[in-house]
Structure formats: structure tokens, C-alpha cells
């Protein structure tokens, strides 16, 4: 056991005998602090980073209902992972967030070792602290976004890239490529990391062995480098098959970006060139200035192989900027894209403080620098806590809460279909898909009716008013939702008259408890001398229920009334009279609720 622990410690660069005993409690305490801050942010109202998080959760569920491989604007690993886990834990809100929170903890651990590999033991602790409290990493860990998983794989790749720079061990190169491979399955930005990484490895290998069989050395590094590009190659081949173009997914992404933010499609060349540098600079200005200062210092006074690390981070950013020139890679939420670059510069920020402390070793200076560094960590916490919680808006939250409460109380079964009337996507304003994605996740009511073989029922969007009206009249669902911006006010007003309750949250209107619903009867057909059992629900608790019998065409007959139980449930038996012809129906009417329920029975003579 001790030998295995020693090998594992050596793999991650822990050489001091007792360092693991100090590092492990530190990381556990950091995890606890991160979990506490995340909990407070969630309690403060944070539900999602932006609409993409809800959409990704729903896509993962759709994949779980119909597993497939297809080229899309989004890469598939998150959908495969969450889709598989949703089979075990079918909660569209909690499951993706649990995965991202775990991924965020792994990222924190990786940054501990990255900082240590680059600048020594103290830098590892400082880097881990900043990475754990980095605002975007906390937000992504509480969301359904793909960035947490991407950062996890990238950080593992960066860690073993740093280890390879120190040891040149083949195992470290394989592990670095495996980390980058995982990231390339999640976000396209990782492709640029992989390209920059491969160029650096090939150049370093050639330069190190240029006087002694360089091509033999290159042959040894090419297989692990190929691992980092294996999925990229597969994706390009699939794009050729699906779109008849190796970069069909790029065109698809550009079209989507243009439809979401039309003005970006017309940005000139200079505007595209400067767009992401400006975004990067404005992410968190105090941190950005420190990261740039640390990078310049290390380029001026290099330490070990840090220049190579910086070449990878800044090289990827330059390559990413260049990629925006021929295509529209500027989309809503673009501030997320350079976040990884700023995050991977955190070790240089820590080194800047260490350098200054060594340059001015006086106690006063060191205490002051320590306080400034701790102030930076507190600034991270404050920034994370101060994020506006305006998505989803309060009205959508209240709608989701209403549905959850009704489900919890047993008034709205989880498998019931809830028709939703939203604006038609073809209309001038178009449909707000963020509404249906957000409500599907928050209520945990995805709808699988379009997915072959799926038995799932949930929120079902019907935009055309004629189809919606027919659905409500024919099916009489337990509840339905209407958005004010949708058409058909006159029809909606008529449909509202056949429902007992209405509640509004801003532009959302929920109608529930239909005045007429079917009774359940067992059996549906039989003989005259047979007993028939009738049941009904959703009456007012304890209310008196009037009953009457209707014949095919010969009139009606009043039956003895009954009372609903405390849950609004009724049940009674009925033995038909001998003179009743082929078909009869029984109607139950609640005196206080005016709820009407009907069942029909066919008698065979």
C-alpha cells in the first residue's frame, strides 16, 4: 500500500516525505469552503448561468431516450455522460449540477499540482485557493453548462503537460493527451489547445534531439499526440458524411450564432480581431492585469519551463482569435470563451506575489502582500456572490414552483401531459425556447412524444391555437399553461371557462382542475347482473356529490348521492336495473366545486 501511494505521489510530483499529509487536509478544507460558498450562492437564487445550461440538460435527457451519434453545433460527451446518469438518477436539474460540482473539485486538485509543478510547493497551495474560488468555476459548477467538465479535462491535460516538461516521461505525455482528448469531446476551444499543444511538443522534441536522431524521437511522441486528435478526426469524418463537408459543423455554428445575435454577423475584420481580447481584458480587470503582469515578468525573467506553459495558454488564445476571422464565432455568452485562458494564468498571478515577496523580504512587505493576496481571494468570493440572478426570471421560477408543489401534493401526477401554449416559432416575435427548456428542467417534466419509443410525458408545446384548443377540449388535461404573447386570446378565454382555477405569474397563466373529467369504471362493458365500480378524483375534500343515470335515449334517473373523502376521491358500486338497454352513463357533480365527471358503460344482453 505504501509503495502504491509512493508511486502515485511521484506521478503527481509530490516528492517530500510528509507533503501528502499536509496537501490532503488542505484540499479537503478547500473543498468544504468551495461547497459552502456554492451553497450560499444557490440559496441566494442562482439557478443557471444562462439558457444554454437548461438546453444542454434537456438534450442530455433526449439522448438518453434515443442514443445516437450525430454531428451538431455542440460536441457530445456531456450528453453521453449525463444521458447515461439520468437513467440512474432521472432529475434534470440536480444530476447535471452534481456532475459539474464533482468536475470542479477535480479541477481545483489539478490546479494545486499545476502550480506546484511550475513554481514550487507554496505556489501549489496559492493556485488551488484561487482556482477553487474563481467565480466562473463556481458558477459553472452550479449550472448545466459544459465548461466545468471541459476545465476538468483541460486541467488534467495541463498538469501532465507540466510534468512532461520536467520529466519527459512517455506516461505523462499519454496522460496529457488523454486529458485534452476529453476536452475536445466537450468544447471546440479545446481543439485549439490540442493544436497548440501538439505544435509545442513537436518543436520541443525536435530541438532537444536535433543533434541526435530527431526523427526517431519524433516517432515516439506522435502516437500520444495522435490520441489528443482522435475524436477530432472522427468528428470531421462524420461531418463529411452528414454535411458533405469536413467543416459543416462550423457553418452550422456560424448560422446559429448569426440567428442569435444578428449584429455580430456583420462585424468587420478589425472588430472580430479585437473582440475577444477586449472580452478577456474585461472579464475581471484586477485579475486580468495581474495575470498579464505575471506573464510579462516570466517572459522577461523565465523560470524553468514556464515560457513553454505560457506559450500554450497564450498561443491557444491567439489561435482562437484567428478562428473568428473567417467565420462568425461571436455568439451571446461570448464572455465564457476566454475564461479558461484567464483561469490557466492563475499560477502566474501566484508567482507574481511570490516574486515580490522574495524581492522585498522585509516582514512588513510580506505581511502586506499576504493580505493583498487574501484580499484577491475575498474579491473572488464577493464577485461570485454578487452575480445577478435574473435568469430564469422570477415569473418562470414561480411557474416551476407551482408545478412542483402540485406534483408534491399529488394533484398533478408526474406522468401527466401539460399542454403549453407559446408563440409560434414562425411568427414575427418567434417562440422563446428558453421558456420550454427552462420549465422542462425546473419542473423535471421533459416530453418525449417526438422521440420514437419514449414513454415520457411532460410539458408539450402546441403553438397553433387551433391545435391547442382541440387538445384542451378533447383531452381535458389536469392543467395547462398559456403565455400572454401567444395568439388566440378569444379561444383561450373560452377554454378558461371549463377550468375551476386560474393563477397568473407575470405573462404566464396556469389553468387547472377542469370542471369535467372522465370517471373511471371497471369493467367498461359487461352483463346486467354484474357489479360496476366507479371512481373519481379532484373533487373538493368532503363535498357532497350528486349522481344520476342517463340511458341511451329513454331518459335519466337520480341515484343516491355520496361524499368525497378528505383527498377529494370518490368510489361507489352500481348494479344495473334489468330494464336498462345497451348503453348507459353515470354523471357525478360536486356541489361546491361544480366539478362534473362522466363514465359510460356498455351492457351486453
Amino acid at each position: 500500500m505504501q509503495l502504491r501511494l509512493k508511486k502515485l505521489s511521484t506521478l503527481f510530483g509530490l516528492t517530500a516525505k510528509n507533503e501528502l499529509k499536509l496537501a490532503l487536509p488542505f484540499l479537503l478544507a478547500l473543498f468544504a469552503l468551495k461547497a459552502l460558498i456554492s451553497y450560499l450562492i444557490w440559496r441566494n437564487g442562482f439557478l443557471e448561468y444562462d439558457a444554454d445550461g437548461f438546453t444542454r440538460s434537456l438534450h442530455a435527457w433526449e439522448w438518453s431516450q434515443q442514443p445516437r451519434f450525430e454531428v451538431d453545433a455542440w460536441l457530445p460527451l456531456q450528453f453521453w455522460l449525463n444521458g447515461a446518469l439520468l437513467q440512474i438518477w432521472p432529475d434534470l436539474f440536480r444530476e447535471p449540477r452534481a456532475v459539474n460540482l464533482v468536475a470542479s473539485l477535480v479541477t481545483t486538485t489539478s490546479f494545486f499540482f499545476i502550480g506546484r509543478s511550475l513554481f514550487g510547493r507554496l505556489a501549489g497551495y496559492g493556485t488551488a485557493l484561487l482556482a477553487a474560488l474563481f467565480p466562473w468555476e463556481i458558477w459553472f459548477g452550479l449550472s448545466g453548462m459544459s465548461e466545468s467538465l471541459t476545465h476538468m479535462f483541460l486541467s488534467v491535460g495541463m498538469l501532465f503537460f507540466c510534468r512532461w516538461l520536467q520529466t519527459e516521461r512517455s506516461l505523462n505525455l499519454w496522460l496529457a493527451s488523454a486529458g485534452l482528448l476529453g476536452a475536445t469531446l466537450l468544447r471546440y476551444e479545446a481543439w485549439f489547445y490540442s493544436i497548440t499543444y501538439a505544435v509545442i511538443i513537436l518543436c520541443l522534441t525536435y530541438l532537444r534531439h536535433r543533434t541526435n536522431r530527431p526523427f526517431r524521437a519524433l516517432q515516439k511522441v506522435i502516437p500520444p499526440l495522435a490520441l489528443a486528435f482522435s475524436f477530432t478526426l472522427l468528428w470531421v469524418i462524420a461531418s463529411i458524411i452528414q454535411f458533405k463537408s469536413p467543416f459543416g459543423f462550423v457553418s452550422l455554428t456560424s448560422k446559429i450564432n448569426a440567428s442569435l445575435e444578428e449584429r455580430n454577423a456583420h462585424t468587420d475584420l478589425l472588430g472580430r480581431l479585437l473582440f475577444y481580447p477586449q472580452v478577456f481584458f474585461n472579464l475581471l480587470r484586477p485579475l486580468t492585469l495581474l495575470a498579464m503582469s505575471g506573464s510579462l515578468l516570466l517572459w522577461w525573467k523565465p523560470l524553468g519551463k514556464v515560457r513553454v506553459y505560457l506559450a500554450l495558454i497564450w498561443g491557444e488564445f491567439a489561435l482562437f482569435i484567428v478562428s473568428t476571422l473567417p467565420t462568425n464565432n461571436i455568439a451571446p455568452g461570448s464572455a465564457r470563451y476566454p475564461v479558461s485562458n484567464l483561469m490557466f494564468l492563475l499560477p502566474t498571478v501566484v508567482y507574481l506575489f511570490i516574486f515580490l515577496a522574495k524581492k522585498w523580504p522585509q516582514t512588513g512587505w510580506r505581511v502586506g502582500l499576504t493580505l493583498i493576496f487574501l484580499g484577491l481571494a475575498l474579491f473572488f468570493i464577493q464577485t461570485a456572490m454578487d452575480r445577478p440572478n435574473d435568469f430564469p426570471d422570477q415569473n418562470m421560477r414561480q411557474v416551476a414552483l407551482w408545478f412542483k408543489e402540485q406534483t408534491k401534493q399529488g394533484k398533478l401526477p408526474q406522468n401527466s401531459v401539460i399542454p403549453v401554449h407559446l408563440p409560434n416559432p414562425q411568427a414575427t416575435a418567434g417562440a422563446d425556447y428558453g421558456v420550454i427548456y427552462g420549465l422542462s428542467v425546473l419542473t423535471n417534466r421533459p416530453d418525449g412524444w417526438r422521440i420514437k419509443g419514449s414513454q415520457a410525458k411532460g410539458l408539450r408545446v402546441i403553438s397553433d391555437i387551433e391545435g391547442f384548443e382541440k387538445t384542451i377540449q378533447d383531452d381535458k388535461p389536469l392543467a395547462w399553461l398559456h403565455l400572454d404573447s401567444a395568439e388566440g386570446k378569444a379561444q383561450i378565454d373560452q377554454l378558461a371557462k371549463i377550468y375551476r382555477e386560474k393563477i397568473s405569474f407575470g405573462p404566464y397563466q396556469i389553468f387547472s382542475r377542469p370542471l369535467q373529467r372522465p370517471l373511471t369504471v371497471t369493467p367498461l362493458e359487461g352483463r346486467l347482473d354484474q357489479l360496476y365500480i366507479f371512481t373519481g378524483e379532484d373533487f373538493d375534500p368532503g363535498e357532497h356529490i350528486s349522481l344520476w343515470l342517463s340511458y341511451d335515449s329513454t331518459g335519466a334517473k337520480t341515484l343516491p348521492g355520496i361524499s368525497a373523502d378528505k383527498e377529494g376521491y370518490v368510489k361507489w358500486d352500481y348494479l344495473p336495473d334489468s330494464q336498462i338497454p345497451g348503453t348507459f352513463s353515470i354523471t357525478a357533480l360536486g356541489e361546491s366545486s361544480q366539478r362534473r365527471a362522466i363514465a359510460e358503460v356498455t351492457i351486453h344482453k
Side-chain angles (χ1 to χ4, degrees), residues 246-286:
F247 301 107
F249 56 90
V250 177
S251 300
L252 177 62
T253 303
S254 295
K255 288 179 182 177
I256 293 173
N257 290 344
S259 67
L260 294 174
E261 196 69 58
E262 187 176 351
R263 64 181 180 180
N264 288 340
H266 305 292
T267 304
D268 60 24
L269 195 64
L270 181 61
R272 291 187 183 185
L273 186 65
L274 297 178
F275 182 82
Y276 280 112
Q278 291 173 342
V279 169
F280 173 81
F281 183 76
N282 291 320
L283 279 174
L284 205 61
R285 286 188 183 181

Side-chain angles (χ1 to χ4, degrees), residues 95-141:
E95 183 276 326
R97 283 152 183 77
V99 169
N100 281 347
L101 183 58
V102 171
S104 185
L105 296 179
V106 174
T107 300
T108 299
T109 306
S110 296
F111 268 86
F112 170 81
F113 291 106
I114 290 172
R116 191 189 183 288
S117 296
L118 291 173
F119 302 117
R121 196 177 308 167
L122 180 61
Y125 291 95
T127 303
L129 176 64
L130 294 186
L133 304 179
F134 189 60
W136 280 270
E137 189 61 19
I138 291 178
W139 296 330
F140 293 149

Side-chain angles (χ1 to χ4, degrees), residues 163-280:
R163 294 291 298 141
W164 180 83
L165 291 176
Q166 294 175 331
T167 66
E168 291 192 53
R169 290 181 61 194
S170 178
L171 175 61
N172 288 324
L173 197 60
W174 279 101
L175 292 173
S177 294
L180 288 169
L181 170 62
T184 61
L185 278 147
L186 287 157
R187 294 195 63 82
Y188 290 109
E189 299 97 279
W191 292 24
F192 303 118
Y193 278 103
S194 293
I195 293 170
T196 312
Y197 159 79
V199 170
I200 289 173
I201 295 294
L202 291 172
C203 290
L204 282 178
T205 302
Y206 178 80
L207 291 174
R208 285 172 176 174
H209 301 276
R210 64 182 180 275
T211 60
N212 183 22
R213 298 180 177 180
F215 294 104
R216 177 174 292 184
L218 288 173
Q219 289 176 356
K220 292 182 179 180
V221 301
I222 286 176
L225 291 182
L227 175 64
F229 292 92
S230 55
F231 174 76
T232 303
L233 179 61
L234 176 63
W235 197 249
V236 169
I237 293 172
S239 179
I240 294 173
I241 296 172
Q242 186 171 325
F243 297 114
K244 312 303 180 186
S245 167
F247 301 107
F249 56 90
V250 177
S251 300
L252 177 62
T253 303
S254 295
K255 288 179 182 177
I256 293 173
N257 290 344
S259 67
L260 294 174
E261 196 69 58
E262 187 176 351
R263 64 181 180 180
N264 288 340
H266 305 292
T267 304
D268 60 24
L269 195 64
L270 181 61
R272 291 187 183 185
L273 186 65
L274 297 178
F275 182 82
Y276 280 112
Q278 291 173 342
V279 169
F280 173 81

